[in-house]
Amino acid sequence: MLSIQNLHKQFGNLVVLDGIDLNVDKGKVVVVIGPSGSGKTTLLRCLNVLETPTKGNISIQKAHLNFGGKVAKKDIQTLRKQTGMVFQTYNLFPHMTALENVIEGPVTVQKVNKEKAKEKGIQLLQKVGLGDKVDFYPHQLSGGQQQRVGIARALAIDPEVMLFDEPTSALDPELVGEVLRVMKELANEGMTMVVVTHEMSFAKEVADEVLFMDKGQVVERGHPEEIFTHPKQERTRQFLNLISE
Amino acid sequence: MYLLNNVLYSAVFDADRYTDIAQSSFLPLVKGALFYSIPMTLISFVIGIMLAITTALFRISGIKLLSGIARVYISIIRGTPLLVQLFIIFFGLPSIGIKIDPFPAAIIGFSLNTGAYASEIIRAAILSIPKGQWEASQSIGMSYGQSLRRVILPQATRVSIPPLSNSFISLVKDTSLASTILVAEMFRKAQEIVANTYEPLLLYVEAALIYWIICFILSLVQDQIENKLNRYVS
Ligand SMILES: Nc1ncnc2c1ncn2[C@@H]1O[C@H](COP(=O)(O)OP(=O)(O)OP(=O)(O)O)[C@@H](O)[C@H]1O
Ligand SMILES: [Mg+2]
């Protein structure tokens, strides 16, 4: 389904991803944890080619990209159409209503008929609990509501994989739950997901696999139970102690 | 007493004459504005904005040749007086066989000028849109052009309306320079009437008032547009 081999990313001399391998089967949820600066965001951004990897392979369904040489724009577009990205700071389009945000991908990129797109867009907004907010502009919505619009917008392009970069870390604590609830629902429906988060309860409850990253490498991976209760690596143990304080 | 009477008398006499001239000159001045100053402004601004968007996109394209062309153009226009540019186009070009009538010559000059200044405004506005907006557009599969058209430019427009309104209002006033290349716009009309009546103060103040009224109306329109575009920001 999603497969990454030997992924490297360098910013100048700074090595940020140092040979990442990852396979995610259809319907599985992988949670990525790790200290600040370990490369979690960069990994997700590479999956969407918002950053171009220095070398390595990424394949998702029909898209197979081999980095290092020249990569065709068309392949990048194909990959992007199969990944839905949810940003830490939502990045909604402020000049569009919630519904307009959601149908933008289908209408502008996939050339779906506008009425059909609206119908589906409204369904998606209902699904994330915002059926009564379709005509609201982002600034009229709370952070949690904006993030749920962000999820609906990413879902609207019918991606194979959803990518979440700390989707709740910009939210007030009382708004975190509503976003996590939507994500759990998605997971239960069989959506394939890669989630960067510090919400350990979410990881324990939903993840099929937890990846601990440090300094651009995957230090340890395994079932959440295993990682959280019996971490094998010293670095993992230190990190878990740090965040549980 | 006699002296005072005389002064009063001449003042009353002058007032009548002033009213006469003010009334008879009003229509020609307004015509100059309606048929020349305002059309010149509108046409030059529309062409200028298209030029400005193109130039701004050239500058941010990251393609050396295009951004080079844009830089040179902006540098020349901003580094030379508008009056000199108009003189080159109207009086200078005929020496190499390019003869342009006063009105189109003025349009060319004003469009080039607006294009250069407005391109910097538009470029700054585009660059002021957060990077996350580009990324969100790309993440749903949009191409560069689609992101620009659907996401970046609409937001940049809102940012650039106040400074572009300034450019527009400046342009209204700058059209008076076209009088020097024989365009029969309002200020030239005023000069012609002064030549016959010898009342420079009256005529020039009258012209100034009409410019002021036009600009005042424009600033009201600007407020309207800004209110409309601001509906999506808190
Ligand atoms: N565009 C960039 N140019 C240069 N360095 C960058 C760039 N983006 C990220 N980095 C660097 O790459 C490293 C990894 O960053 P990244 O954002 O992937 O970490 P992270 O694991 O997501 O951290 P956090 O938990 O703080 O979000 C950091 O040292 C960061 O400074
Ligand atoms: Mg991060």
Side-chain angles (χ1 to χ4, degrees), chain A residues 45 48 50 77 80-81 83 85 87 91-96 104-105 108-109 111 137 139 153-154 157, chain B residues 131-143 146 149-152 154-155 230-234:
Chain A
R45 290 168 59 85
N48 212 348
L50 290 174
Q77 294 297 86
R80 283 190 181 143
K81 285 172 194 172
T83 50
M85 182 81 159
F87 298 89
N91 295 350
L92 294 184
F93 306 131
H95 57 304
M96 299 181 190
E104 187 59 26
T108 301
V109 181
K111 312 288 180 208
Y137 283 93
H139 79 268
R153 177 178 66 181
I157 62 170
Chain B
K131 228 175 94 222
Q133 291 292 307
W134 285 102
E135 295 181 346
S137 335
Q138 287 173 354
S139 78
I140 55 173
M142 286 191 187
S143 64
Q146 288 171 331
R149 199 160 40 76
R150 299 285 309 163
V151 176
I152 305 300
Q155 296 182 61
N230 275 341
R231 72 185 185 282
Y232 65 78
V233 286
S234 41

Side-chain angles (χ1 to χ4, degrees), chain B residues 17-229:
Chain B
R17 183 177 139 77
Y18 264 49
T19 323
D20 262 8
I21 298 177
Q23 276 177 357
S24 62
S25 62
F26 185 70
L27 202 61
L29 289 190
V30 168
K31 273 187 181 163
L34 284 182
F35 295 147
Y36 291 97
S37 307
I38 293 175
M40 208 154 42
T41 308
L42 289 177
I43 299 172
S44 307
F45 196 72
V46 170
I47 301 175
I49 289 296
M50 294 191 292
L51 205 55
I53 294 175
T54 314
T55 309
L57 292 181
F58 274 22
R59 274 216 62 183
I60 60 169
S61 67
I63 301 169
K64 279 221 173 67
L65 178 68
L66 296 185
S67 67
I69 293 172
R71 269 169 201 277
V72 170
Y73 160 55
I74 294 168
S75 168
I76 291 174
I77 298 294
R78 290 209 304 187
T80 55
L82 176 53
L83 187 59
V84 175
Q85 294 161 15
L86 290 174
F87 270 45
I88 292 176
I89 296 168
F90 184 71
F91 296 115
L93 290 184
S95 337
I96 54 165
I98 306 174
K99 252 184 84 64
I100 307 170
D101 283 342
F103 191 76
I107 297 278
I108 294 173
F110 294 132
S111 301
L112 285 173
N113 211 263
T114 304
Y117 281 96
S119 80
E120 289 294 274
I121 294 173
I122 292 171
R123 182 177 73 99
I126 292 176
L127 295 180
S128 77
I129 306 305
K131 228 175 94 222
Q133 291 292 307
W134 285 102
E135 295 181 346
S137 335
Q138 287 173 354
S139 78
I140 55 173
M142 286 191 187
S143 64
Y144 180 82
Q146 288 171 331
S147 311
L148 203 60
R149 199 160 40 76
R150 299 285 309 163
V151 176
I152 305 300
L153 285 182
Q155 296 182 61
T157 302
R158 190 185 62 78
V159 180
S160 53
I161 289 292
L164 284 181
S165 305
N166 266 339
S167 307
F168 190 72
I169 287 170
S170 295
L171 182 58
V172 173
K173 295 176 292 175
D174 285 346
T175 56
S176 60
L177 289 174
S179 62
T180 62
I181 60 166
L182 316 181
V183 177
E185 48 71 57
M186 175 163 62
F187 190 57
R188 188 169 179 86
K189 279 274 155 57
Q191 288 174 314
E192 285 169 6
I193 299 170
V194 169
N196 292 328
T197 60
Y198 309 105
E199 290 294 353
L201 179 65
L202 174 67
L203 263 299
Y204 294 150
V205 167
E206 195 176 337
L209 273 175
I210 299 178
Y211 280 117
W212 186 35
I213 291 169
I214 296 174
C215 292
F216 180 73
I217 295 172
L218 285 176
S219 63
L220 294 182
V221 174
Q222 175 190 352
D223 290 345
Q224 289 290 317
I225 297 176
E226 280 178 28
N227 283 339
K228 208 170 156 199
L229 286 172

